[in-house]
Amino acid sequence: MAKRDPFHPPDEEARALARNLVGNASFAALAVLQDEDPVVTRIALAVTPDGAPMTLISDLSTHTSALRTKPLCSLLVGEPGDKGDPLTYPRLTLQANARFVPRDSTGHQVLRNHYLRLRPKAKLYIDFTDFHLVRFEVETGLLNGGFGRAYKLKSTDFRA
């Protein structure tokens, strides 16, 4: 007996929900491999002007060195509401590669200013030398939009 694929082909409603989950998230769960062991942590999240997830992380965090060693990672966004079963609320798992944005690159200042518009409290530490902007290049996404609404997304599905 063939196993049924639980994922539907993405439609515009699923794509919009995925973009909304990323665009409205102020934090995410970040999963990395640290010395071959899986580690999950919470990070601040924002989006680049073109809608890619991004964060600001410190060298003091163990996930920073893990991302430098192995940039393949996963992000989980979407929070349960105040009532009902938390598993009925939409959530999105992204598989991505972390790209550190060098301070001397042409796009760093633009991303820095954009990040500060979205997360103004980061002004206190964004220019510390141990803090780095990281852009997540999404490869695929697994969207659970609610009961019976599972979608496998490609990187192109996240573009408006």
Side-chain angles (χ1 to χ4, degrees), residues 2-3 13 24 29 32 40 48 63 66-67 72 74 99 117 120 147 150 160:
K3 184 178 177 185
E13 184 180 345
N24 290 328
V32 298
V40 179
T48 64
H63 53 270
L67 289 173
L72 183 64
S74 186
R99 300 289 180 235
R117 276 193 297 280
F147 185 77

Side-chain angles (χ1 to χ4, degrees), residues 1-134:
M1 181 179 212
K3 184 178 177 185
R4 183 183 164 281
D5 185 357
F7 296 102
H8 300 286
D11 55 19
E12 191 48 44
E13 184 180 345
R15 290 182 193 101
L17 177 57
R19 288 190 299 266
N20 188 47
L21 284 168
V22 173
N24 290 328
S26 59
F27 61 90
L30 170 68
V32 298
L33 286 175
Q34 183 178 339
D35 301 324
E36 302 308 313
D37 293 323
V39 176
V40 179
T41 189
R42 181 174 290 164
I43 60 167
L45 195 71
V47 293
T48 64
D50 63 351
M54 68 181 290
T55 193
L56 178 68
I57 57 177
S58 169
D59 286 332
L60 298 175
S61 302
T62 57
H63 53 270
T64 302
S65 61
L67 289 173
R68 288 192 186 281
T69 302
K70 187 166 189 160
L72 183 64
C73 61
S74 186
L75 296 164
L76 174 65
V77 295
E79 287 301 304
D82 295 334
K83 297 179 182 177
D85 183 347
L87 297 181
T88 62
Y89 290 88
R91 57 203 175 274
L92 175 66
T93 300
L94 300 173
Q95 295 163 327
N97 281 291
R99 300 289 180 235
F100 286 77
V101 181
R103 286 183 188 272
D104 60 353
S105 68
T106 55
H108 184 273
Q109 191 66 30
V110 171
L111 280 181
R112 177 195 175 279
N113 293 341
H114 179 76
Y115 189 87
L116 286 175
R117 276 193 297 280
L118 298 173
R119 306 286 176 261
K121 290 184 180 182
K123 186 172 179 36
L124 299 170
Y125 47 84
I126 195 168
D127 294 322
F128 291 177
T129 58
D130 67 313
F131 275 82
H132 310 278
L133 289 169
V134 176

